[in-house]
Amino acid sequence: MIVAERKPFDEIKAMLAGYGKVFILGCDTCVSVCMAGGRKEVGLLASQLRMSFKKDGSDVVIDEDTVERQCNKEYMELVLNKLKDYQVVVSMACGAGAQLLADLTEPQQVLPGVNTRFIGMTPKDGNWVERCRACGDCVLGETAGICPITVCAKGILNGPCGGTDHGKCEVDKDKDCAWTLIHARLDKMGKLDNIKKIFPPRKHGVKTHPASQVHEVYKGE
Amino acid sequence: MAASFKDTLKSGEFIVTAEVGPPKGTDIGEMKQHIELLKDKVHGINMTDNQSSVMRLSSLVGCHIIKELGGVPILQMTGRDRNRMALQSDLISAAVLGIDTVLCLTGDHMTLGDHKDAKPVHDLESVQILKAVRTLESGKDLGGNPLKGAPSFCAGAVVTPEADPIAPQLLKFEKKIRAGAEFFQTQAVYDLDNFKRFMDYAAKFEVKILAGIVLLVSAGMAKFMNKNVAGIFVPDALVREMESVPKKEQLQKGIEIAGRMIRTLKEQSIGHGVHIMAIGKEAVIPEILQVAGLL
Ligand code: SF4
Ligand code: SF4
């Protein structure tokens, strides 16, 4: 899933200076699971803002809603009508959701309410760790299901760098060295041969940004 | 004319290299002094490449100056600051300047240095840089395009004999050999028994291995490295030996220890030479060599 964190309250409030009618639009998919921009977080932010503006003596209107998936046009069409009356919409979705919102509501001002951080997983409640950089050429099959591109701070492919120490990464002693993990798990699997070969440089040319893809069935449409 | 490093490797001599750090800024006075001091006493001088992710004069220019002053430069090249385009371009540039020995490194992470917000590159790591060197020599670049004039290099890499766990380190060491490394300069070694065990394992490979000798300047430094530097282990006995003299004599003690270790390595034929890193104290390297009986 996509992991995001809500922007600091003061930053959001500062972005809203000068607006009288504000809409906050959440997303109930990834950002809801990571407790950054789902229905609950939208409600909380809206109340915080109302109270704060009231305390300042300004009568800003703050309304809110949350869609199932902000990065999907079908779901967005259900709310577009009600956004029309507002001067600004704060998107609580990831950067992709916020961009679809901006495309669909042009020329309305859209503001990001969260910082989108990574593709990750949940090792335990309330914790998220990055596990995939969407490199477009997955090597997990050779690296025992541990991503060297992501879990290694340098994203290197041919084994540990010189900074690895007692299984920890040179960048952060609290983080495991990806290559120590990969080596240990492949050893258990009896598949160390997987990483004895020299991995060639990655093909960055196959994935210039922005990447796109079209499903077979939809090609030519 | 000093012998090329490739020839030195073949000579069977006890090889001595030393590291010089380029300055942060345009004042190259001290760097030149260090080069002058060392050029006739060692077989090669390594010029570090933005070492520890601290921005400095480039290793390429540093090596050019070594060359001008009549020394044998060893160009350190990391993949942290340059992608494959820039690395290859620097490699052929080095060759044109007559710099023909290169040490291929992954590079410390950007966040360890003085430009923590810079974008780390890591397009190629050490093994892939070695491969790039060998590819350029074949007359082609990594894009498969023909070169107008191919370079020829003596290529080396680094190994950490004290790495813990050791197995992933050895797997990478063997990959570096397969990628074309002809020599290795090791991370600091202090426990010569451990190093001997590493050399017993490495004997089957056709590569020259120079033991890393990092000068201890104080007992505090020894303890600090034990705690904080990956792959460095200073045995208790050496820490105690450093502590056995007052602070102001500890540098002298460190010189004595470094010299003694080099002498032992040479006398017992453990490894093929040494690589001296005096980090900031390059001026005392001749003294170390004297204690070692090499001057
Ligand atoms: S190799 Fe890593 S970054 Fe690439 S797709 Fe697989 S998990 Fe994602
Ligand atoms: S210590 Fe391990 S995880 Fe960290 S950068 Fe080096 S190889 Fe990658």
Side-chain angles (χ1 to χ4, degrees):
Chain A
M1 64 184 244
I2 311 262
V3 178
E5 67 181 352
R6 207 196 76 184
K7 280 182 176 287
F9 180 76
D10 291 342
E11 186 184 340
I12 298 178
K13 196 179 166 199
M15 286 195 293
L16 292 174
Y19 292 112
K21 255 192 123 186
V22 177
F23 199 93
I24 303 174
L25 187 64
C27 175
D28 243 347
T29 306
C30 307
V31 290
S32 159
V33 180
C34 63
M35 302 191 256
R39 196 169 295 279
K40 253 197 221 147
E41 292 74 40
V42 166
L44 191 70
L45 176 65
S47 330
Q48 275 180 302
L49 284 168
R50 278 183 210 115
M51 282 195 300
S52 181
F53 280 122
K54 198 167 164 195
K55 219 170 116 210
D56 300 346
S58 62
D59 49 0
V60 181
V61 176
I62 313 252
D63 288 319
E64 64 190 79
D65 198 356
T66 296
V67 290
E68 189 64 32
R69 220 172 291 152
Q70 221 176 98
C71 59
N72 189 304
K73 209 169 161 185
E74 278 170 44
Y75 291 105
M76 289 296 281
E77 270 159 2
L78 305 174
V79 289
L80 288 179
N81 251 335
K82 70 167 125 170
L83 303 179
K84 288 203 178 96
D85 302 335
Y86 297 83
Q87 291 165 305
V88 59
V89 185
V90 177
S91 168
M92 299 294 282
C94 72
Q99 288 183 59
L100 181 60
L101 173 65
D103 287 349
L104 297 175
T105 58
E106 185 185 316
Q108 199 169 25
Q109 173 75 60
V110 168
L111 294 172
V114 303
N115 291 321
T116 305
R117 302 203 51 217
F118 53 81
I119 302 179
M121 63 160 180
T122 319
K124 59 177 182 193
D125 284 354
N127 289 256
W128 296 277
V129 286
E130 187 176 18
R131 278 298 178 267
C132 176
R133 290 197 208 180
C135 77
D137 185 11
C138 198
V139 297
L140 286 176
E142 286 162 298
T143 57
I146 298 164
C147 172
I149 310 291
T150 312
V151 183
C152 166
K154 296 173 190 169
I156 57 174
L157 274 173
N158 279 304
C161 74
T164 177
D165 200 15
H166 293 88
K168 297 297 172 188
C169 175
E170 74 172 23
V171 171
D172 182 345
K173 288 199 169 12
D174 291 331
K175 286 194 179 137
D176 292 328
C177 166
W179 276 103
T180 309
L181 294 177
I182 292 170
H183 192 283
R185 194 181 284 173
L186 283 174
D187 196 13
K188 276 190 214 159
M189 294 164 72
K191 290 198 167 170
L192 275 176
D193 278 352
N194 282 7
I195 53 168
K196 285 188 181 153
K197 71 162 193 205
I198 293 172
F199 285 79
R202 304 234 90 194
K203 293 187 170 151
H204 294 290
V206 300
K207 202 193 161 206
T208 52
H209 294 292
S212 61
Q213 79 181 31
V214 183
H215 190 279
E216 267 315 306
V217 174
Y218 293 82
K219 279 190 180 149
E221 267 190 17
Chain B
M1 230 336 245
S4 79
F5 199 65
K6 216 181 200 66
D7 287 341
T8 303
L9 290 182
K10 284 191 209 130
S11 70
E13 263 182 272
F14 186 79
I15 305 158
V16 181
T17 58
E19 174 182 288
V20 168
K24 190 180 195 69
T26 56
D27 180 356
I28 58 170
E30 196 187 3
M31 179 183 81
K32 276 177 131 174
Q33 277 171 19
H34 290 156
I35 297 168
E36 289 282 10
L37 185 70
L38 297 172
K39 67 182 173 74
D40 298 320
K41 301 183 179 72
V42 298
H43 297 104
I45 300 175
N46 283 56
M47 191 57 69
T48 53
D49 179 12
N50 293 333
Q51 194 175 30
S52 308
S53 308
V54 171
M55 190 285 294
R56 288 166 179 277
L57 180 87
S58 81
S59 53
L60 185 57
V61 168
C63 282
H64 177 61
I65 292 166
I66 296 175
K67 188 98 192 153
E68 271 191 342
L69 295 176
V72 176
I74 299 174
L75 177 71
Q76 298 202 176
M77 283 277 235
T78 81
R80 179 196 52 239
D81 309 325
R82 281 159 297 185
N83 64 9
R84 67 192 80 175
M85 192 91 160
L87 283 167
Q88 293 177 98
S89 172
D90 277 2
L91 282 166
I92 56 175
S93 305
V96 166
L97 294 173
I99 298 158
D100 59 5
T101 305
V102 51
L103 187 79
C104 305
L105 305 148
T106 294
D108 295 325
H109 196 272
M110 200 64 91
T111 54
L112 305 186
D114 68 351
H115 282 67
K116 296 190 195 313
D117 289 330
K119 185 174 185 182
V121 179
H122 302 296
D123 185 24
L124 306 184
E125 44 67 66
S126 51
V127 176
Q128 293 162 339
I129 299 175
L130 283 162
K131 274 279 201 191
V133 168
R134 295 305 177 217
T135 306
L136 291 173
E137 288 177 327
S138 76
K140 285 201 172 125
D141 66 14
L142 289 179
N145 312 294
L147 300 178
K148 193 170 176 180
S152 165
F153 288 106
C154 175
V158 168
V159 65
T160 307
E162 296 277 8
D164 184 5
I166 190 72
Q169 179 69 206
L170 299 183
L171 187 136
K172 184 145 191 172
F173 170 69
E174 292 181 24
K175 276 192 184 188
K176 286 176 176 177
I177 295 172
R178 275 185 278 126
E182 296 160 76
F183 71 95
F184 284 84
Q185 293 172 321
T186 80
Q187 171 62 291
V189 294
Y190 292 98
D191 186 320
L192 299 189
D193 292 333
N194 283 355
F195 183 62
K196 182 160 187 333
R197 269 191 291 280
F198 171 76
M199 280 312 305
D200 288 343
Y201 144 82
K204 58 178 175 281
F205 302 105
E206 290 269 314
V207 291
K208 302 290 181 194
I209 296 173
L210 314 186
I213 303 291
V214 170
L215 172 69
L216 294 174
V217 300
S218 67
M221 172 194 175
K223 288 188 202 157
F224 176 86
M225 289 198 304
N226 266 344
K227 228 179 131 199
N228 299 299
V229 184
I232 294 191
F233 163 65
V234 188
D236 276 349
L238 283 188
V239 178
R240 279 199 302 275
E241 191 178 343
M242 288 295 287
E243 282 170 339
S244 71
V245 298
K247 265 217 166 82
K248 59 178 195 318
E249 289 165 34
Q250 288 185 350
L251 173 61
Q252 208 49 46
K253 191 43 113 187
I255 293 171
E256 192 187 311
I257 291 172
R260 189 178 72 209
M261 288 199 308
I262 297 171
R263 184 190 284 269
T264 309
L265 288 166
K266 182 167 187 237
E267 282 173 2
Q268 302 184 10
S269 300
I270 310 171
H272 308 102
V274 288
H275 174 53
I276 304 170
M277 293 165 271
I279 311 162
K281 294 266 185 295
E282 285 84 352
V284 308
I285 293 177
E287 242 183 288
I288 297 175
L289 294 174
Q290 240 155 25
V291 179
L294 291 169
L295 274 189

